[in-house]
Amino acid sequence: MKLGLFLTVLAMFALVGVVSYYVNYKTDSREYPWAYSSDENIPLFVGKWSGKFIEPDKIEKKISLEIYEPYTKLERIFYSIGLPYKRRQDIEPNKFEGLLSIENKFHKEEQYKVRGSLNRKNLQLFDFHLLANVKEAPPYHYSFLFTEGFWEKNEISFIITIVFRKSTTPNNLKNQEPFLSKKVRVSLNRV
């Protein structure tokens, strides 16, 4: 008798979890059309992108960008069955997070967390900025700004503004005005 009651409660709990999962997925598909779709043929903004760009000093660098899903399947499963799960943050419908990797001239990869936003009226337009270097601060004297992003199907592009500064000390970067900045258009393809 107790086993039957336990199995019934467990089945109800599982049913509520499954229904909750799909309701959450449908809600996320409406709120984040750039991240989720029931049609596999529709290209999404989330995913991995890769390409190259040439810096003003004529050095070619490899660049890759990964745009994370606002909520992963695992996060949605835990949330659907009522268990706590640490989320990155409560992400607004037009906001995204990701990871940018740039291979420097010494063939070492620099990784940066990024956060950005898509234009509310036209989801194909976006901008993003670096949150922090995942590793140590780079040893050279420049920083990046990312603007005028555009994505369509399997290609994205944006402008990197490379800002050169006189100091190589990270503490002095905040206090020093840039002495040179150059803009470079970057195009990435879906990986």
Side-chain angles (χ1 to χ4, degrees), residues 4 9-10 16 46 48 75 78 81 105 133 148-149 164 179 186 190:
V9 170
L10 186 63
V16 168
V46 297
K48 295 183 179 181
E75 289 171 329
F78 273 81
I81 59 176
K105 64 183 178 183
N133 195 332
E148 298 181 37
F164 294 88
F179 70 90
V186 176
R190 190 177 302 277

Side-chain angles (χ1 to χ4, degrees), residues 4 10 14 17 23 40 42 56 59 61 68 74 83 91 123 139 148 160 162 171 189:
L10 186 63
V23 167
E40 294 180 9
I42 294 178
I59 295 176
K61 293 191 173 185
Y68 300 142
L74 185 61
L83 295 175
I91 300 175
L123 291 177
E148 298 181 37
I160 296 181
I162 302 169
N171 294 338
N189 294 310

Side-chain angles (χ1 to χ4, degrees), residues 93-186:
N94 67 322
K95 305 286 185 191
F96 65 88
E97 292 180 342
L99 184 70
L100 178 79
S101 299
I102 299 175
E103 186 180 284
N104 68 19
K105 64 183 178 183
F106 304 111
H107 302 290
K108 291 188 179 180
E109 192 173 83
E110 302 162 6
Q111 294 185 326
Y112 303 91
K113 292 179 185 177
V114 299
R115 184 172 294 151
S117 62
L118 291 105
N119 185 301
R120 290 178 192 254
K121 294 179 182 175
N122 183 352
L123 291 177
Q124 291 181 305
L125 304 176
F126 68 94
D127 290 315
F128 66 97
H129 61 277
L130 302 180
L131 290 178
N133 195 332
V134 175
K135 298 178 182 176
E136 296 177 12
Y140 35 82
H141 54 280
Y142 62 80
S143 58
F144 303 113
L145 300 172
F146 304 88
T147 56
E148 298 181 37
F150 177 79
W151 74 278
E152 185 175 36
K153 296 184 181 178
N154 294 317
E155 185 176 342
I156 64 174
S157 68
F158 49 85
I159 292 178
I160 296 181
T161 303
I162 302 169
V163 181
F164 294 88
R165 301 178 188 274
K166 293 179 183 174
S167 175
T168 59
T169 309
N171 294 338
N172 292 338
L173 291 180
K174 296 176 186 174
N175 301 328
Q176 285 202 351
E177 291 296 317
F179 70 90
L180 177 66
S181 70
K182 295 282 186 175
K183 295 185 179 205
V184 178
R185 173 62 74 177
V186 176

